[in-house]
Amino acid sequence: MSESSLSAGRPAGVSRPAGSGGGANLADILERVLDKGIVIAGDIQVNLLDIELLTIKVWLLVASVERAKEMGIDWWEHDPSLSSGSRRKDLLEENERLRAQLELARGGRAEQ
């Protein structure tokens, strides 16, 4: 169906609905934001009679994982609750520490 046949049923001066054709545009915008990254910053202040009671500083970064790594942001790789690799590393370190303690305990008994 062509654009002219779609607009034929609408009164003059009425444009297309805002949602039509927006899916592709939204996908393009999202792809661009994730590729480039975007930072949103702001402050929230609570005042009572010109007395500042609370200030919250908010920084929000929206980017793809690859872009975040390029910027040096990779905290999720080192967080034990988010990364299985980090958990494995922690377990290996604990295992080595326990083995060393066990060897010390065995060595102490053998000398007595």
Side-chain angles (χ1 to χ4, degrees):
M1 202 179 268
S2 69
E3 179 67 26
S4 60
S5 64
L6 283 176
S7 62
R10 282 191 296 249
V14 176
S15 62
R16 290 188 332 200
S20 63
N25 292 337
L26 180 61
D28 292 341
I29 292 170
L30 184 59
E31 182 180 346
R32 181 174 292 168
V33 165
L34 291 176
D35 184 46
K36 303 277 187 199
I38 185 171
V39 175
I40 301 170
D43 295 342
I44 300 170
Q45 290 185 338
V46 178
N47 296 335
L48 180 64
L49 300 174
D50 293 333
I51 299 172
E52 186 177 317
L53 299 176
L54 177 68
T55 298
I56 300 173
K57 297 193 179 282
V58 179
W59 286 68
L60 173 67
L61 170 68
V62 179
S64 67
V65 171
E66 292 83 15
R67 182 67 180 148
K69 284 182 178 181
E70 288 174 11
M71 293 186 284
I73 302 170
D74 61 352
W75 53 266
W76 60 88
E77 291 181 349
H78 308 292
D79 188 334
S81 63
L82 297 174
S83 171
S84 61
S86 181
R87 271 186 248 136
R88 255 184 262 135
K89 182 181 174 190
D90 291 344
L91 288 174
L92 289 173
E93 289 174 359
E94 181 182 14
N95 193 357
E96 288 297 320
R97 192 173 60 251
L98 290 173
R99 286 178 189 268
Q101 289 176 356
L102 183 60
E103 286 301 317
L104 283 175
R106 285 182 182 164
R109 272 195 226 143
E111 292 173 7
Q112 293 176 351

